[in-house]
Amino acid sequence: MGLDITWAVDWVRRGAETLAEHRVELITLDREIGDGDHGENMDRGFQAVLPKLDDLPAGSAPSDVLKLVATTLISTVGGAAGPLYGTAFLKGSMAVAGESSLDAAGVAAMLEAARDGIVSRGKAESGDKTMVDAWTPAVDAARSAADGGASAAETLRAAADAAATGAAATEPLVARKGRASYLGERSAGHRDPGAQSTVYLLEAAAVAAANGTSA
Amino acid sequence: MKKIINDPKRVVDESVAGFGLAHADLVRVETDPIHVVRGDAPVAGKVGLVSGGGSGHEPLHAGFVGPGMLDAAVPGAVFTSPTPDPILAATKAVDGGKGVLHIVKNYTGDVLNFETAADLAAADGIEVRAVVTNDDVAVKDSLYTAGRRGVGGTVLVEKIAGAAAERGDSLEQVAEVAERVNANVRSMGMALTPCTVPHAGEPSFTLAEDEVEIGIGIHGEPGRERIKLEPADAIVDRLLEPIVEDLPFSSGDRVLLFVNGMGGTPQIELYIAYRRAAESLAEQGIRVERSLVGNYITSLEMQGFSITLLKLDDDMLELWDAPVHTAALRWGR
């Protein structure tokens, strides 16, 4: 069973809801090692997407939803998160362009393209204590789930769980990219806020898929 | 949190609106998307200068819009870089046919958003160059960080490049002088207290009553070292030594000495710091030719200051002295 436009819209709504719910937590994580705006920025960006979902033309594909998220985040979020998440959704959209329903391989391809977009824009590698440390394990888990015959929903669940493990693993790391890098050793002991917001977004995608809102 | 605000989400919009009303003789404020442009922009045949970044550093950048300095400023949310849309709108608004220079502080978000806007402007046929300022010596090894931050030196780059644009230099020449200033300027700052971002509601870090942060940036991000409070002269020495060593500055050099307040430190203390810095430079045979003291690139209400030193050449000196007419810097006309 594939994931269609209903899933994509539900993902964005759940994503907006969970980011609003965790706004203060993300601000706090960011204040510890950055400048304290990550929760505010992500909440502002996803709230801006919501009204636009109602204007999607009939017959839109999941890729259209992802593209809408991309352009809205780029034009409303700012900071590093706007271009990085904007690029992720844009590349993810391009990877599944026009497909009315995503199977497990489609989900894996979408996540991989999103991650590659973040890496090329932000020039961060695994271990730099950034959102890449959540995205890369998520992509790896999605790929092996899809290759092993999992459903699209199961593939997203594997990705979300791996992202959570990856985000937790950023805690002991010393940041080498972004504003946290200025702290040097003092950045260790804190979870990266971008990795944590990645967890919330992928978790929302997985829950939306599991809730059978797909066709 | 105790601040003179209405709604934390409206802080930037309302402040920029007030700035526009107060300085209607110099600028006009566009609200959708938000940017501040010189009243007579675009100036035909002149290179346009656009800078911007997160709000909370006032008077940077809107306070430097006007003849002899910036053509436009793009304020983002507090401590958050603007998105590409207003940067693009500002770039278009100041394009007088000779191209546009973006002056960008080296912070990941600023660089990414200005790059995107420059790509979009190029697609519209506007020639854009960018200079990324990175004068902060507190960040040592750029192999393991996002690179040195752009701080106080940015003000000097904007003034000197602005004067070059005003005298009719080409985009290539204006970019060159901006790069030359950036290559010859070094800064370092310290904080006595943190600041509170309005939408966060809590201080960006905590310091004990007798502690100070050495090597802060301009976003309330903590520095690299935390020490016990010392007398002003010792703190000045602690900031000035790595600056002088870094370029390095040496005996016989002519410099501009800039002592900048972070927003919450009174002038009486800034001049105490200036006094020691000038004395120390004199002892080292470094000639202070020009000076600037005050709150020019701030971090909300943070207490603290930074020292910026620029090694001057004749061209830079002439451009520094050239007339400027902005809300925050004004001389010569």
Side-chain angles (χ1 to χ4, degrees), chain B residues 64-129:
Chain B
F64 302 134
V65 173
M69 214 159 163
L70 298 177
D71 293 85
V74 191
V78 174
F79 291 176
T80 301
S81 73
T83 63
D85 310 26
I87 302 170
L88 177 63
T91 302
K92 286 180 172 175
V94 306
D95 176 33
K98 279 186 78 170
V100 176
L101 181 72
H102 286 173
I103 299 172
V104 187
K105 298 185 298 304
N106 189 32
Y107 279 95
T108 307
D110 293 88
V111 172
L112 291 180
N113 286 282
F114 269 89
E115 270 176 6
T116 306
D119 288 348
L120 295 169
D124 283 341
I126 301 174
E127 198 187 347
V128 177
R129 292 276 299 267

Side-chain angles (χ1 to χ4, degrees), chain B residues 30-87:
Chain B
E30 304 291 344
T31 53
D32 190 25
I34 192 165
H35 58 287
V36 177
V37 295
R38 191 172 145 168
D40 56 353
V43 181
K46 177 186 149 337
V47 170
L49 256 65
V50 177
S51 193
S55 293
H57 307 305
E58 291 69 23
L60 186 89
H61 295 277
F64 302 134
V65 173
M69 214 159 163
L70 298 177
D71 293 85
V74 191
V78 174
F79 291 176
T80 301
S81 73
T83 63
D85 310 26
I87 302 170

Side-chain angles (χ1 to χ4, degrees), chain B residues 254-275:
Chain B
R254 296 180 298 159
V255 300
L256 186 158
L257 171 58
F258 171 25
V259 172
N260 174 64
M262 301 307 299
T265 290
Q267 299 243 338
I268 190 169
E269 294 172 31
L270 298 182
Y271 281 111
I272 289 173
Y274 184 89
R275 173 196 136 278

Side-chain angles (χ1 to χ4, degrees), chain A residues 115-140:
Chain A
R115 187 273 316 267
D116 291 351
I118 292 167
V119 168
S120 72
R121 201 97 182 85
K123 299 176 183 74
E125 298 167 8
S126 289
D128 282 350
K129 196 179 181 96
T130 72
M131 60 172 75
V132 172
D133 292 316
W135 277 95
T136 289
V139 167
D140 293 345

